[in-house]
C-alpha cells in the first residue's frame, strides 16, 4: 500500500537483444539451447526476485513468435520458471502477428493465439478487446484460459492493494523525485557496472 511503489516489468521475454541487425522490434529466430544457455538465466533471477510482470518480445523461438508462443510464455516462464505475475505484450506485438510475422490472418486469430499462449495483457492494440470477445464466441480459446490470464492481472492488483486504496500520481512529489541527483547517480552507477 506504499504509494511510492510501482510494479517492476522484466523485458523483453525472451532474447530481445538478439534481434537481426540490432534493430528495434526486429525478428530473430533462436533455438532453445541458446535460450537456456544465455537468455533465460537473468529472467529466472527476475522471477526469483518476485518481479510482478514480464513483457513478451518480438522474437521467435523455433519459428513461433514469442507473443503467440505457448512454449515460451506458459510452459517455460509460468510453469518451469515459476512466474506468478502477468505477461504484457510489447507495443503492437499482437498486431505484428498479422502484419510483420504473418502467422495470423486477422485480429481475432492474433488475439486468440496470444491468449492461448499465455499473453495476459495487450499493449496498444485497440482491437484486442473486441477480438477477444469474438474469439471466445468462435471457440478459439476457452473461458478457463481467459480466467487464468485475467486472474494473474487481478492477483497483482490485489497484491498491490489497488482495490482497497486506488492510487493516483502525486504530480508535485513526482517533480521532486523524478530525475533527482540521487537517482541520476544510481543510473550512472548501474551504467558503469554494466559496461562490457
Amino acid at each position: 500500500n506504499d504509494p511510492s511503489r510501482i510494479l517492476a516489468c522484466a523485458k523483453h521475454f525472451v532474447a530481445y537483444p538478439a534481434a537481426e541487425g540490432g534493430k528495434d522490434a526486429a525478428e530473430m529466430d533462436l533455438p532453445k539451447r541458446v535460450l537456456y544457455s544465455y537468455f533465460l538465466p537473468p529472467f529466472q533471477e527476475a522471477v526469483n526476485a518476485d518481479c510482478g510482470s514480464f513483457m513478451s518480445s518480438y522474437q521467435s523461438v523455433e519459428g513461433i513468435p514469442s507473443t503467440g508462443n505457448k512454449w515460451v510464455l506458459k510452459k517455460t516462464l509460468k510453469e518451469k520458471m515459476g512466474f506468478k505475475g502477468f505477461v504484457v505484450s510489447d507495443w503492437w506485438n499482437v498486431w505484428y502477428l498479422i502484419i510483420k510475422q504473418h502467422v495470423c490472418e486477422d485480429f481475432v486469430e492474433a488475439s486468440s493465439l496470444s491468449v492461448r499462449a499465455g499473453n495476459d495483457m495487450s499493449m496498444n492494440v485497440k482491437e484486442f478487446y473486441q477480438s477477444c470477445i469474438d474469439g471466445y464466441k468462435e471457440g478459439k480459446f476457452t473461458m478457463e484460459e481467459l480466467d487464468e490470464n485475467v486472474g494473474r492481472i487481478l492477483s497483482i492488483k490485489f497484491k498491490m492493494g489497488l482495490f482497497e486504496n486506488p492510487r493516483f500520481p502525486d504530480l508535485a512529489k513526482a517533480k521532486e523525485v523524478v530525475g533527482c541527483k540521487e537517482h541520476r547517480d544510481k543510473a550512472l552507477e548501474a551504467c558503469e557496472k554494466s559496461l562490457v
Side-chain angles (χ1 to χ4, degrees), residues 115-143:
V115 167
R116 286 192 316 270
N119 210 70
D120 304 308
M121 179 186 290
S122 175
M123 184 195 306
N124 200 45
V125 176
K126 63 181 171 106
E127 295 85 356
F128 186 78
Y129 177 75
Q130 186 60 49
S131 295
C132 283
I133 293 170
D134 296 342
Y136 174 72
K137 286 179 180 177
E138 293 174 22
K140 294 188 181 290
F141 59 87
T142 66
M143 186 55 69

Side-chain angles (χ1 to χ4, degrees), residues 180-194:
C180 70
K181 181 172 177 10
E182 179 187 358
H183 292 171
R184 288 194 317 273
D185 290 345
K186 278 288 185 193
L188 177 61
E189 178 187 345
C191 202
E192 289 171 344
K193 287 182 176 180
S194 66

